[in-house]
Amino acid sequence: VTALADLLVAIVGPDHVLDDADVTASYARDWTGRFVGEALLVVRPGSTAEVAGVLRACTDAGVPVVPQGGNTGLVGGSVPRRQPMVVLSTSRLTARGDVDAGAAQVTLGAGVTMADWRRHAQAGGFDAPVDFASRDSATVGGAVATNAGGSRVVRFGTMRAQVAGLTAVLADGSSIGSLAGLPKETVGVHWPSLLAGSEGTLGVITAVRLKLVPWYRHTATAMVATGSLADAVAVLAALRSNVANLDAVELILPEAMAVVAAHLGATPPVGDERTGAYVVVELADHEDPTDALMAALADLPQIHDAAVTTEGPARERLVAFRDRITESISAQGVPLKLDVAVPVGALDELMAAVRAALAAHGGRVVPFGHLAEGNVHVNILDPGDPDLLARDILGAASALGGTISAEHGGGLAKSKYLHLVRTPAELAAAAALRHALDPTGTLNPGVLTAT
Ligand code: FAD
Ligand code: LAC
Ligand code: ZN
């Protein structure tokens, strides 16, 4: 330990190698509290060259490394899980380039937060296309590494679609990638495509060249109450065909509304005993889209109650019922998080399978998610038998043509279930690729490792 610590101190300086257990503890515990490990050391390199030095030293010493951004990941991939393990924190990689208006791109250090990406883009007259509730801590590097989604995917796609370039360091300390951001290039392997969603298993992303989108100054937000999930999907279909500036279509099921309303100490803005599903809809545009939103919702027979707001405190109050669900669940205990997606037409069947699994294995479900992607966050409080719940619910998602992870990644949580969505040939090819880039198994062992 001392020899490795001395080497790391020589690379990043004494202030950036942490070994005091009181200090390293917060880097070793995940956001949910479900995954708690111990860090041999926490290292905070300040440049790509320092990241390379750190990785080379750890690989030479045979000590595995877990890359960590904001530590808001929800599947256990961002914290140590065996001894010894070094946490490589990107918290000092916070350089921000100027907004390149002609290209509509910006270069950011991997440790810049999602909120700072957005603020920086807006200061340059643009906007960031990805947004989600952990924005103040989650980093752009972590978001690329988990191919993060959030509420604007319906309009702009996931994080993968925003990466015009990146640089990353492999386990042996070599650097790959480019920040040129060329929109067209055809010379074989495309590093951003490979690294997006790789969850720290192929390389440490040190900087990203991200796309920007127009900054729509006007947002109209509605919450509507519908009778069922099928009705919510009918509302989604109508919006998709009738409006051009759809920015978010989010789903809250009644159990989640009850939990978040209690947490906020507020009454749900819409709905009553008829409500089977709430939908939060946003339109964003250069002109105020409120009239367009009201018109789009006006004659939909599936809606029995609606509230519409524009920017300001009223909108923030409404959005809080969606944004703060994850926090309100954690305030009640450590949930089992099964983040799945199915084709939207199969959402009813998915929830029937979830309820059957709960009846058989115990627990309280708090479901919500991203309706346009058929993505339901199946959060289970007081899970009776977590393994059987996971087996049945992830199995059902897969059988319905969906996935065991639409967001957040596989981490440690899903390693056991990768076979549900990948063939043996695919798992073998992925393992071979990983071995080629990281032959010593330094980077994030256990994560995305089929077991
Ligand atoms: P971390 O948690 O630090 O790490 C996550 C994974 O990425 C780990 O495997 C880690 O090893 C790897 N990693 C981190 N940085 C790097 C790097 N520079 N290079 C290589 N690998 C790296 N996610 C969504 O997709 N959509 C949501 O709507 C959403 N909402 C959330 C709401 C709340 C309240 C919370 C707590 C989380 C939410 N998340 C959501 C999950 C999480 O915030 C995202 O996955 C986020 O992108 C993680 O970023 P991070 O910087 O915190 O990464
Ligand atoms: C959300 C996270 C949990 O959608 O993905 O709030
Ligand atoms: Zn989500």
Side-chain angles (χ1 to χ4, degrees):
V1 180
T2 322
L4 179 61
D6 288 349
L7 263 178
L8 296 175
V9 165
I11 295 163
V12 301
D15 292 347
H16 302 299
V17 179
L18 315 176
D19 62 358
D20 179 342
D22 288 343
V23 180
T24 60
S26 68
Y27 294 82
R29 181 181 201 276
D30 86 321
W31 193 90
T32 66
R34 180 168 286 277
F35 300 92
V36 186
E38 247 178 75
L40 176 71
L41 299 164
V42 174
V43 192
R44 299 185 302 203
S47 66
T48 295
E50 289 186 8
V51 171
V54 169
L55 286 180
R56 207 176 300 120
C58 291
T59 294
D60 288 349
V63 176
V65 174
V66 49
Q68 186 180 97
N71 198 15
T72 66
L74 300 171
V75 288
S78 53
V79 291
R81 77 253 1 168
R82 56 169 74 162
Q83 270 292 13
M85 215 165 164
V86 163
V87 175
L88 188 161
S89 165
T90 60
S91 57
R92 291 177 63 225
L93 302 177
T94 51
R96 294 182 309 187
D98 293 337
V99 165
D100 181 341
Q105 293 177 355
V106 68
T107 297
L108 301 173
V112 170
T113 64
M114 296 296 285
D116 277 341
W117 173 22
R118 196 154 197 194
R119 273 190 286 270
H120 190 54
Q122 292 184 348
F126 285 83
D127 199 1
V130 177
D131 184 42
F132 45 85
S134 51
R135 57 186 75 82
D136 291 322
S137 306
T139 62
V140 293
V144 174
T146 56
N147 185 25
S151 60
R152 307 190 84 188
V153 173
V154 65
R155 190 170 201 164
F156 299 115
T158 63
M159 202 62 192
R160 171 176 283 133
Q162 323 308 334
V163 191
L166 56 72
T167 51
V169 181
L170 305 183
D172 67 359
S174 52
S175 293
I176 58 168
S178 152
L179 297 168
L182 300 175
K184 297 175 85 175
E185 208 203 17
T186 59
V187 285
V189 175
H190 182 240
W191 299 118
S193 304
L194 192 64
L195 271 289
S198 65
E199 299 183 52
T201 64
L202 301 181
V204 175
I205 298 162
T206 53
V208 286
R209 178 85 177 164
L210 293 176
K211 295 181 190 169
L212 303 173
V213 294
W215 180 13
Y216 302 114
R217 298 326 198 257
H218 301 276
T219 303
T221 305
M223 184 184 288
V224 303
T226 69
S228 66
L229 255 174
D231 284 353
V233 173
V235 170
L236 166 69
L239 289 166
R240 279 197 193 274
S241 71
N242 296 336
V243 297
N245 41 16
L246 199 54
D247 219 87
V249 192
E250 300 278 284
L251 173 70
I252 307 174
L253 290 181
E255 298 95 329
M257 179 58 89
V259 168
V260 74
H263 183 69
L264 297 173
T267 311
V270 295
D272 52 33
E273 65 290 341
R274 289 169 299 173
T275 309
Y278 300 83
V279 183
V280 179
V281 181
E282 295 212 308
L283 305 192
D285 212 331
H286 294 303
E287 311 289 326
D288 183 358
T290 307
D291 290 346
L293 181 56
M294 307 255 259
L297 299 174
D299 298 324
L300 296 181
Q302 297 86 2
I303 295 176
H304 56 255
D305 197 5
V308 179
T309 68
T310 51
E311 292 85 4
R315 172 175 176 260
E316 272 152 39
R317 273 197 300 277
L318 203 63
V319 169
F321 284 89
R322 167 62 187 86
D323 231 30
R324 297 185 61 188
I325 297 175
T326 295
E327 157 198 332
S328 68
I329 294 168
S330 279
Q332 294 212 3
V334 178
L336 174 66
K337 289 186 170 291
L338 300 171
D339 160 54
V340 299
V342 293
V344 286
L347 279 167
D348 256 335
E349 274 177 277
L350 172 74
M351 288 312 297
V354 167
R355 294 186 200 291
L358 289 165
H361 311 306
R364 285 189 290 139
V365 70
V366 190
F368 66 100
H370 310 281
L371 181 62
E373 292 80 47
N375 178 188
V376 185
H377 297 310
V378 180
N379 284 259
I380 300 174
L381 282 164
D382 308 319
D385 188 325
D387 282 340
L388 293 181
L389 286 164
R391 184 200 65 185
D392 287 5
I393 294 169
L394 300 180
S398 158
L400 290 166
T403 182
I404 62 169
S405 178
E407 284 186 338
H408 313 157
L412 297 184
K414 305 281 173 69
S415 280
K416 227 159 84 186
Y417 302 101
L418 295 176
H419 66 275
L420 290 173
V421 285
R422 294 291 181 267
T423 63
E426 287 171 334
L427 292 172
L433 176 65
R434 184 168 178 177
H435 183 75
L437 296 186
D438 179 14
T440 51
T442 300
L443 285 168
N444 238 355
V447 166
L448 289 178
T449 307
T451 54

